[in-house]
Amino acid sequence: MRWTLKPKPSDKKIETLANALGVPRSIASLLLQRGVETFEEAKKFFRPSLEELHDPYLMKDMEKAVTRIEIAIAQEENILIYGDYDVDGTTSVALLSSYLKSYYPNIATYIPDRYDEGYGVSYKGIDFAEDNGFSLIIALDCGVKALDKVVYASEKNIDFIICDHHRPGAELPKAVAVLDPKRADCPYPFKELCGCGVGFKLIQALAKNRNQTIEDLLLYLDLVATAIGADIVPITGENRILAHFGLKVINSNPRTGFKAILKQVKRTELTITDVVFIIAPRINAAGRMKHGNHAVTLLTETDMNKAAVWAAEIEQFNTDRRDADKRITEEALTQISDNKEEDRLTTVVYDESWHKGVIGIVASRLTETYYRPTLVFTKSGEKLAASARSVKGFDVYNALEACAAYIEQFGGHKYAAGLTLSEEDYENFKAEFEKVVSATIDPKLLKPQLTIDAEIDFAEITQKFYRILKQFAPFGPGNMAPVFMTQHLKDVGYGKCVGEDKSHLRVVVKQGHSTQFTGIGFGMGDKHDIACKGKPFKAAYVIDENEWQGNVNLQLRLKDIKP
């Protein structure tokens, strides 16, 4: 693993900020690395405020969207809330439909079938709207590229409002309104909202006209925080405020569906990381293994007994999803070794029996063993479909574009994409993809990179230091949990491999005459000899708390160690 140390801000800036805030220099340095340079900016960072949320009417077309919805309500039209089948889509649909239903009954929801209709707005969904008398569709987390679909709908006298956060193409759909902060002509100050975030701005605008305040909308922020975590958008600016208050809702007064999920997993205080690894996969599992409708039903259910039934069902979907992804990952690794492909610069594997709902997860898992651009294919109808995952710094979308001769269609972004091709083109594509990547990738990108925020001494790690560090949360892209590095460490004699298969490393370490800390390195059993043979070593780690028999102690969550 490559370690790279983030540039240290200037001593003068560190000194000024540390004095202004009365914090240790190392904390001031971390803040400066995150773009926080003044007392005022630090106040906004540590004390997120709902007052700092932007006016929703700054978003291009917001006025048009609100006017069209109000006309629909006045004329008693039927409104269809349409969203994608992933976490961002299903939470968006739950958010907008439950808000509108609080004062208007003619609302229904529609999630496309992952396997039958695929991603985004579908012709089938528009036909459903026509057959059931809907004259307005509000699309969430999709639609900004659905030019033909919007035309198809308008021929049936169905209007569209689009709430999306993906990058638009050269032309926008001819919808009544297109809400998307990434539109080139949209003056909205914060560009990194997720789909559910754009949906929230819409209800914020509707609420203004109904004399409601932001306080009246707090109960919807648990959905927004979940989508922010799951969709891997930067947790900075407005997203930090929405995630901060959303977590408060999840931890104090979550919606019935969340209570039912959390009952299954028995957790009390959740962080954004818990939301990403506990709540999000369960919501996602519905769309992967069965249908996204199940997720929307759970998220909008108010009866605890019914929610418990839905949650148990979704728990089963999630177990099935986990079993499938574990089995398929093992089969894919066997395929790589059987084909003697360990030393290639790409992974491309295929089996017609693999479950389409988990091939993206499997592609991510494979990069943990073979760190390189990865594609996992399965059979989808007459075609082969794949999920692609990349490594940090390499644009897999551009690499696929260079193989377009063998691909029928593809979409996505720098680090993740999806594609379909004909079975007879598979081997040619596989060879071409390896050729393109070999010619364009910088070899150093094939080693995972660990970014370290700062080098510190153990003497600096105090309860006060950790208390301030905790207030940097919620963590996520743009504000990751700080990773520290400390040199000249020695295990005091308790180092050992732990876990059922002895794959984890547990050490008790000191630096000189400092306080000693317990460090735990998951999956780091192979580093035992570096730490436990009495020789000094250096460690990269995150600081967290460990509770054991009622005692809470600081511990190091090891990321890597080196001699």
Side-chain angles (χ1 to χ4, degrees):
M1 192 181 280
R2 289 180 294 137
W3 292 12
T4 55
L5 197 58
K6 276 190 193 169
K8 192 179 171 195
S10 77
D11 280 339
K12 187 168 184 276
K13 278 189 165 179
I14 293 173
E15 193 65 41
T16 307
L17 190 61
N19 290 339
L21 300 177
V23 296
R25 289 173 57 91
S26 47
I27 294 284
S29 178
L30 292 171
L31 287 168
L32 288 162
Q33 285 173 336
R34 284 156 180 71
V36 176
E37 301 200 353
T38 63
F39 180 86
E40 221 21 68
E41 286 171 351
K43 192 175 155 192
K44 284 181 185 177
F45 181 78
F46 285 123
R47 305 278 179 271
S49 161
L50 293 165
E51 306 293 307
E52 295 291 329
L53 292 176
H54 304 299
D55 178 352
Y57 284 99
L58 292 172
M59 200 175 286
K60 182 88 175 168
D61 281 4
M62 186 61 81
E63 193 80 58
K64 291 178 184 171
V66 169
T67 303
R68 181 64 186 88
I69 292 168
E70 287 176 346
I71 289 169
I73 291 172
Q75 296 182 349
E76 298 187 358
E77 294 177 57
N78 295 329
I79 304 174
L80 187 65
I81 313 296
Y82 187 109
D84 198 25
Y85 42 69
D86 66 1
V87 176
D88 198 11
T90 51
T91 51
S92 300
V93 168
L95 171 111
L96 186 58
S97 65
S98 56
Y99 177 73
L100 288 173
K101 274 183 186 169
S102 71
Y103 63 98
Y104 182 66
N106 303 0
I107 304 286
T109 62
Y110 189 95
I111 304 282
D113 185 283
R114 187 180 190 119
Y115 307 108
D116 176 33
E117 294 162 84
Y119 167 79
V121 178
S122 68
Y123 290 115
K124 193 172 174 177
I126 296 166
D127 291 342
F128 171 88
E130 184 188 34
D131 296 344
N132 293 282
F134 291 93
S135 49
L136 176 61
I137 298 176
I138 305 174
L140 295 141
D141 188 34
C142 60
V144 82
K145 287 188 171 174
L147 280 73
D148 299 345
K149 315 281 194 332
V150 171
V151 170
Y152 180 75
S154 64
E155 286 163 359
K156 299 175 179 295
N157 295 319
I158 298 170
D159 283 343
F160 252 97
I161 291 170
I162 288 163
C163 303
D164 204 348
H165 70 120
H166 296 97
R167 208 169 279 153
E171 200 186 324
L172 290 171
K174 304 258 183 292
V176 172
V178 178
L179 306 177
D180 186 336
K182 291 199 179 80
R183 274 178 70 161
D185 61 349
C186 180
Y188 196 73
F190 186 70
K191 302 293 179 190
E192 300 295 341
L193 292 168
C194 59
C196 193
V198 177
F200 184 76
K201 297 315 289 188
L202 177 57
I203 72 167
Q204 210 187 331
L206 289 163
K208 265 191 159 183
N209 284 12
R210 300 182 59 239
N211 293 326
Q212 289 178 310
T213 67
I214 194 74
E215 303 293 331
D216 299 310
L217 304 179
L218 281 178
L219 69 148
Y220 299 100
L221 288 179
D222 54 356
L223 293 169
V224 184
T226 302
I228 286 170
D231 225 53
I232 319 177
V233 290
I235 305 191
T236 56
E238 203 163 33
N239 282 342
R240 181 171 170 84
I241 301 169
L242 295 168
H244 173 85
F245 287 97
L247 279 171
K248 280 191 164 177
V249 176
I250 291 171
N251 284 315
S252 60
N253 185 25
R255 63 193 45 244
T256 313
F258 280 180
K259 272 186 199 148
I261 290 175
L262 295 172
K263 222 174 183 171
Q264 297 274 335
V265 294
K266 304 176 180 51
R267 282 299 281 268
T268 46
E269 185 82 6
L270 270 78
T271 65
I272 203 86
T273 310
D274 296 323
V275 170
V276 172
F277 289 105
I278 295 173
I279 295 179
R282 286 166 171 78
I283 297 172
N284 244 334
R288 288 184 193 280
M289 307 309 284
K290 193 79 175 178
H291 201 291
N293 282 336
H294 291 266
V296 175
T297 307
L298 174 64
L299 294 174
T300 51
E301 184 55 71
T302 51
D303 178 320
M304 190 61 198
N305 294 328
K306 285 184 186 164
V309 174
W310 285 106
E313 197 169 290
I314 279 180
E315 192 64 27
Q316 187 55 52
F317 294 151
N318 195 46
T319 304
D320 296 347
R321 187 270 309 162
R322 268 207 301 254
D323 294 347
D325 92 51
K326 187 167 185 271
R327 176 181 54 78
I328 295 168
T329 301
E330 284 165 4
E331 289 173 10
L333 288 169
T334 303
Q335 196 177 112
I336 292 167
S337 59
D338 288 353
N339 293 342
K340 309 222 173 336
E341 293 174 342
E342 295 94 337
D343 297 327
R344 286 165 58 108
L345 301 191
T346 63
T347 296
V348 181
V349 286
Y350 162 59
D351 189 297
E352 62 174 27
S353 70
W354 289 343
H355 195 301
K356 193 179 166 191
V358 300
I359 56 174
I361 300 173
V362 171
S364 295
R365 293 247 192 279
L366 292 176
T367 63
E368 292 167 15
T369 306
Y370 298 103
Y371 191 73
R372 59 199 189 189
T374 297
L375 283 122
V376 178
F377 280 89
T378 187
K379 194 86 182 250
S380 179
E382 297 298 297
K383 308 284 177 207
L384 303 193
S387 262
R389 293 292 181 271
S390 193
V391 295
K392 193 178 167 85
F394 184 75
D395 194 325
V396 74
Y397 188 90
N398 287 351
L400 291 173
E401 212 155 33
C403 305
Y406 303 108
I407 298 176
E408 294 209 349
Q409 64 188 88
F410 74 99
H413 49 83
K414 186 173 178 176
Y415 293 129
L419 66 150
T420 53
L421 47 76
S422 292
E423 190 154 8
E424 59 267 24
D425 285 328
Y426 172 74
E427 289 299 340
N428 287 335
F429 166 81
K430 183 170 175 170
E432 185 66 14
F433 186 65
E434 173 74 11
K435 194 169 123 192
V436 166
V437 173
S438 301
T440 55
I441 196 163
D442 179 342
K444 76 169 194 284
L445 297 180
L446 295 167
K447 278 191 91 171
Q449 180 186 351
L450 179 63
T451 304
I452 293 163
D453 290 79
E455 181 177 346
I456 61 171
D457 289 333
F458 274 3
E460 296 175 63
I461 305 174
T462 61
Q463 285 291 351
K464 182 189 174 186
F465 180 78
Y466 182 68
R467 271 201 307 276
I468 302 172
L469 219 49
K470 261 176 48 169
Q471 294 176 51
F472 277 55
F475 296 116
N479 178 38
M480 300 302 279
V483 176
F484 299 107
M485 187 259 281
T486 303
Q487 308 209 47
H488 313 301
L489 299 178
K490 273 194 166 180
D491 178 72
V492 299
Y494 297 103
K496 58 182 178 183
C497 291
V498 294
E500 273 176 36
D501 51 359
K502 300 284 185 244
S503 63
H504 311 311
L505 177 68
R506 185 183 182 279
V507 289
V508 180
V509 284
K510 281 184 101 154
Q511 182 191 35
H513 299 293
S514 71
T515 312
Q516 59 188 40
F517 290 99
T518 299
I520 183 86
F522 294 104
M524 284 172 56
D526 58 343
K527 307 265 182 178
H528 174 272
D529 287 1
I530 297 173
C532 305
K533 296 284 187 192
K535 290 210 169 75
F537 63 94
K538 57 184 176 181
Y541 56 88
V542 170
I543 304 168
D544 66 14
E545 283 177 318
N546 180 39
E547 193 173 328
W548 175 248
Q549 296 179 334
N551 294 322
V552 180
N553 291 304
L554 297 182
Q555 71 168 10
L556 314 179
R557 198 167 74 248
L558 300 174
K559 294 280 196 179
D560 196 18
I561 59 173
K562 288 185 176 184

